[in-house]
Amino acid sequence: MISSTGDQPAEPIGDRPAIVVSTPGVEPVAEEGYASALLLDGDAQLQREGLDVPRRVLARWFRAASLVRPHAEGGTVVVTAADEELTGPWFAGIRWALRAVSCTDAETWACRPRCGCSV
């Protein structure tokens, strides 16, 4: 078991099997990528106050997910949050619909016809 926090970040963990518990932003790198990631407390993260909360939460989730090996190689990412917290265009990204997520920045979704967003 490896713990990584802001006060005590863990070093890269190579390719040895381990369970890693980490504060967002200080996840140690695994040489071959993590087999899976469980991103907890999605509800609490999304209920914080601020206009850019969804963007910051997604950025943290995508950063953590980028440390997991590709799905074709057995990688899995699970986010825990209530369905009602994951509605709207920002959370198309949970389904890895990155083109739809990029559209949320455009005023009134003006880019939808150009990029083919369907969310």
Side-chain angles (χ1 to χ4, degrees), residues 2-92:
I2 297 170
S3 176
S4 184
T5 66
D7 292 336
Q8 293 185 317
E11 296 293 323
I13 58 174
D15 64 352
R16 70 184 192 273
I19 293 175
V20 177
V21 178
S22 179
T23 300
V26 292
E27 302 91 344
V29 174
E31 190 173 296
E32 300 294 322
Y34 290 104
S36 61
L38 176 59
L39 307 177
L40 300 172
D41 298 327
D43 294 327
Q45 292 179 48
L46 293 167
Q47 291 173 1
R48 292 184 176 148
E49 291 188 32
L51 295 175
D52 65 342
V53 168
R55 180 186 316 217
R56 286 186 289 127
V57 169
L58 276 178
R60 278 193 297 270
W61 290 350
F62 282 138
R63 184 187 182 295
S66 74
L67 298 173
V68 176
R69 63 183 68 135
H71 181 69
E73 296 174 22
T76 302
V77 178
V78 176
V79 175
T80 62
D83 285 344
E84 60 269 11
E85 293 293 339
L86 300 176
T87 59
W90 278 105
F91 296 99

